[in-house]
Amino acid sequence: CPAIDKEDRGKKAINMQDIEPRVEESVENWNFFMKIPEFDRTKLDVTKTKEAQLLRPLFEFSGACPGCGETPYLKLLSQLFGDRLMIANATGCSSIYGGNLPTTPWAMDENGRGPAWSNSLFEDNAEFGLGFRTSVDKQNSFAKELLLKLKDKIGKKLVEDTINADQKSEEGIKVQRENIAKIKSKLSNIKGDDARLLEGVLSYLIVKSIWAVGGDGWAYDIGYGGLDHVLASGANINILVLDTGVYSNTGGQTSKATPLGAVAKFSAEGKKKVQKDLALHALDYDDVYVARVAMGANDKQTLTAFLEAEAYSGPSLIIAYSHCIAHGYDLKFGMKHQEMAVKSGLWPLFRYNPALKEEGKNPFSLDYKEPKTPVKEYMYSENRFKMVERIDPKLAKTFLEKADEFAKREWVRYQDLESSGNLRFRVVLK
């Protein structure tokens, strides 16, 4: 946090001290902090970064590596949609710190509500998440059937209001929760199997936010076939790829997301090819929401992408730059490195929102500027790239030249996509 004490410039928002003398005082402060009421979600403009950060996170104390680049995205996810969030989590770092049983960082709010989380394998996590969507839709339709059968006993207006509820805003969701509470109260006095069945599926009348989450090893490699199937399904499911550019959890093996020139296991002298463009693959469907984000480079764009993806009633894919200990630098500078990656042009930021086509607007938004930071300045600030120079200076120079060419080519490619607004073509670069 960049905040500083105006009276003592040496003090920042968080200041490291020895723990032993502070324990008793800190426990007292923590207990006081936990008694502070949560801010009313319906009164916040969550499209603003500062106000969104007043939302209670339902992901905390993960036990991930200090400075992990993945966890801030999950924290944001939990703040925006946490109490109605359903996560299918691919095996990898996010499943280890996400389900480090018998503890878990996924928390409940004061009402006992919180994310529903489950882990699946590399190869089928996208399909696993699609199963969530199919199940939730069936439970929702079954609840509506039962409501209509019992409308004379529950009340026709209440049933109609519940079935037709607009849950596109926090205020709308709050009203729907109140409707559900009224129905639940009425059902306690209604006999019969239909009433009991409805009690079991009432919660599915609250809109669910369903996300398949995992790393690039899952999304680019082992689970790509399933992920592609889900993107092509047209189902209302969101996919969050925490892209570290390497198989982080299993020891740092090369993935198809590993950047050109980066050293990793199976690429000991640096990756010889540029990384796969998963975003461009997804864009080819034309009806999939796609975004590439980097919180350290543009937190507003990241927040907007999460909100747009969840609001879009079809498949959504967010690819999030996630710095990692495998990159070889002090991760307290992680967000700065994200910014450098974007400014060098090696991590283009954009959003493609098919819903805007219906409004006659350009669905493609390029969210970064023409590369200005030399690729060498970014790449050689990380040991995964710098190591090649020690191994083979000539090869290292070739990597830098290719990376510079790649950054410029990406800028031209995505500029063309934004200017045309039509993704049903491939850019031919001379």
Side-chain angles (χ1 to χ4, degrees):
C1 179
I4 58 173
D5 187 332
K6 293 182 180 179
E7 296 180 359
D8 184 350
R9 306 290 293 185
K11 288 186 178 180
K12 296 186 177 182
I14 297 176
N15 304 280
M16 304 305 289
Q17 296 180 346
D18 290 335
I19 190 171
E20 286 79 7
R22 315 290 301 185
V23 170
E24 188 173 334
E25 178 186 355
S26 296
V27 168
E28 184 179 345
N29 289 340
W30 176 260
N31 291 335
F32 172 80
F33 173 75
M34 293 303 292
K35 292 177 182 177
I36 298 174
E38 295 300 324
F39 205 94
D40 186 348
R41 296 176 66 93
T42 64
K43 295 181 180 179
L44 292 171
D45 181 357
V46 296
T47 64
K48 297 178 180 178
T49 305
K50 288 184 178 180
E51 294 196 32
Q53 290 310 295
L54 290 173
L55 297 169
R56 177 178 177 174
L58 296 178
F59 177 87
E60 54 188 9
F61 312 128
S62 68
C65 296
C68 172
E70 297 184 357
T71 53
Y73 297 107
L74 296 176
K75 171 180 173 285
L76 179 62
L77 193 66
S78 78
Q79 287 175 295
L80 296 175
F81 322 117
D83 63 348
R84 53 190 181 86
L85 189 61
M86 298 183 73
I87 295 178
N89 206 133
T91 297
C93 284
S94 54
S95 77
I96 302 306
Y97 60 67
N100 192 12
L101 302 176
T103 64
T104 173
W106 298 101
M108 296 187 297
D109 62 17
E110 65 278 5
N111 299 308
R113 293 193 292 260
W117 181 97
S118 189
N119 164 231
S120 188
L121 303 176
F122 256 151
E123 64 268 23
D124 65 6
N125 185 62
E127 301 95 312
F128 187 53
L130 182 59
F132 283 22
R133 178 78 273 166
T134 303
S135 175
V136 166
D137 288 349
K138 181 58 181 176
Q139 301 277 30
N140 178 272
S141 63
F142 184 47
K144 289 178 179 177
E145 287 177 26
L146 293 170
L147 271 178
L148 291 172
K149 288 176 71 175
L150 295 169
K151 64 180 179 181
D152 291 333
K153 296 180 179 179
I154 293 173
K156 291 182 181 180
K157 186 177 186 309
L158 179 56
V159 168
E160 289 174 2
D161 289 346
T162 303
I163 290 177
N164 300 318
D166 182 356
Q167 300 183 65
K168 294 180 181 178
S169 66
E170 287 293 336
E171 183 61 40
I173 292 169
K174 181 180 179 181
V175 170
Q176 182 71 336
R177 290 196 192 281
E178 293 170 352
N179 290 339
I180 299 301
K182 293 175 184 176
I183 293 171
K184 190 173 182 179
S185 176
K186 289 178 178 289
L187 286 175
S188 63
N189 298 315
I190 300 174
K191 296 181 180 181
D193 292 341
D194 287 340
R196 303 292 77 76
L197 287 170
L198 182 54
E199 286 176 332
V201 293
L202 261 180
S203 63
Y204 289 94
L205 294 169
I206 303 292
V207 64
K208 306 298 182 187
S209 184
I210 298 174
W211 292 76
V213 174
D216 50 276
W218 157 62
Y220 286 69
D221 288 1
I222 295 175
Y224 173 70
L227 183 141
D228 182 61
H229 170 71
V230 171
L231 292 178
S233 71
N236 186 14
I237 177 173
N238 308 293
I239 298 171
L240 173 62
V241 181
L242 303 166
D243 190 342
T244 64
V246 72
Y247 282 80
S248 299
N249 184 57
T250 51
Q253 295 88 350
T254 302
S255 81
K256 290 188 183 72
T258 302
L260 173 74
V263 171
K265 290 181 180 178
F266 310 127
S267 297
E269 295 182 346
K271 176 86 172 296
K272 300 298 191 295
K273 297 180 67 176
V274 298
Q275 61 269 37
K276 174 181 177 180
D277 196 332
L278 180 61
L280 203 59
H281 283 262
L283 286 172
D284 197 45
Y285 281 114
D286 208 35
D287 65 344
V288 175
Y289 180 94
V290 186
R292 284 172 63 112
V293 304
M295 187 179 287
N298 192 331
D299 53 15
K300 171 65 175 174
Q301 187 255 3
T302 301
L303 174 63
T304 301
F306 274 64
L307 292 170
E308 288 180 345
E310 208 266 346
Y312 179 61
S313 59
S316 300
L317 173 68
I318 295 179
I319 304 173
Y321 186 108
S322 303
H323 51 267
C324 175
I325 195 171
H327 295 177
Y329 62 90
D330 189 336
L331 292 190
K332 71 181 181 182
F333 301 113
M335 293 297 183
K336 180 64 177 177
H337 280 245
Q338 291 195 21
E339 183 181 16
M340 291 170 65
V342 172
K343 287 185 175 180
S344 72
L346 293 177
W347 188 267
L349 298 182
F350 73 83
R351 289 167 294 124
Y352 175 75
N353 188 354
L356 294 178
K357 291 188 293 184
E358 299 175 6
E359 302 175 23
K361 299 178 181 178
N362 187 349
F364 195 94
S365 173
L366 197 58
D367 297 324
Y368 78 118
K369 298 179 180 179
E370 184 175 0
K372 296 295 183 183
T373 299
V375 294
K376 183 177 181 179
E377 183 179 327
Y378 159 62
M379 291 174 68
Y380 279 21
S381 67
E382 300 184 0
N383 282 339
R384 59 173 172 163
F385 299 111
K386 183 72 173 174
M387 288 171 65
V388 183
E389 188 183 43
R390 303 188 198 114
I391 298 168
D392 187 338
K394 186 176 179 180
L395 180 60
K397 183 180 178 183
T398 300
F399 283 148
L400 287 176
E401 290 172 352
K402 287 185 176 179
D404 183 63
E405 180 186 350
F406 173 70
K408 292 175 181 176
R409 190 169 71 242
E410 290 294 273
W411 172 249
V412 173
R413 183 204 302 270
Y414 284 111
Q415 265 195 317
D416 285 347
L417 291 176
E418 182 182 43
S419 62
S420 69
N422 177 19
L423 304 183
R424 285 292 179 183
F425 73 101
R426 286 286 178 265
V427 180
V428 178
L429 299 169
K430 297 180 181 179

